[in-house]
Amino acid sequence: MYACVGKSLTGVTACQTIKKSCIILCINTASVKQWKEQFMLWTTARDEDVRMFTADNKEPLPPNDRAVIVLTTYSMISAQKR
């Protein structure tokens, strides 16, 4: 059912193990959505703790006192002007 469970489960496990905020860079928006599904499937993380940041979906970050997982694309990171 899940084609890349090995890689994504390894990443999900790493994020859960360190219990700190993490950012995961994906190749496209579809991958961002798949990673969120994997976090919801394999962890007890709340929906509001796994944030998607794509061209179509820019979820706000929670206060700094909570760990959060940010899922975004390479293009979103490289396209941002600072």
Side-chain angles (χ1 to χ4, degrees):
M1 185 171 166
Y2 293 99
C4 55
V5 165
K7 291 178 268 183
S8 58
L9 186 53
T10 300
V12 168
T13 301
C15 291
Q16 280 294 109
T17 300
I18 64 170
K19 296 185 184 339
K20 303 232 183 247
S21 294
C22 297
I23 185 167
I24 296 175
L25 299 176
C26 303
I27 59 170
N28 56 36
T29 302
S31 294
V32 168
K33 292 175 184 174
Q34 289 172 349
W35 270 91
K36 183 156 187 173
E37 289 172 5
Q38 293 298 303
F39 272 99
M40 297 295 99
L41 178 67
W42 297 109
T43 71
T44 58
R46 296 175 296 185
D47 188 58
E48 62 266 16
D49 294 335
V50 183
R51 302 298 174 106
M52 294 191 298
F53 188 71
T54 64
D56 298 330
N57 187 6
K58 295 176 183 75
E59 298 175 348
L61 295 176
N64 287 337
D65 62 340
R66 246 180 43 217
V68 65
I69 297 141
V70 177
L71 307 168
T72 190
T73 61
Y74 295 107
S75 61
M76 286 296 291
I77 297 299
S78 64
Q80 298 300 313
K81 294 180 182 177
R82 297 194 179 255

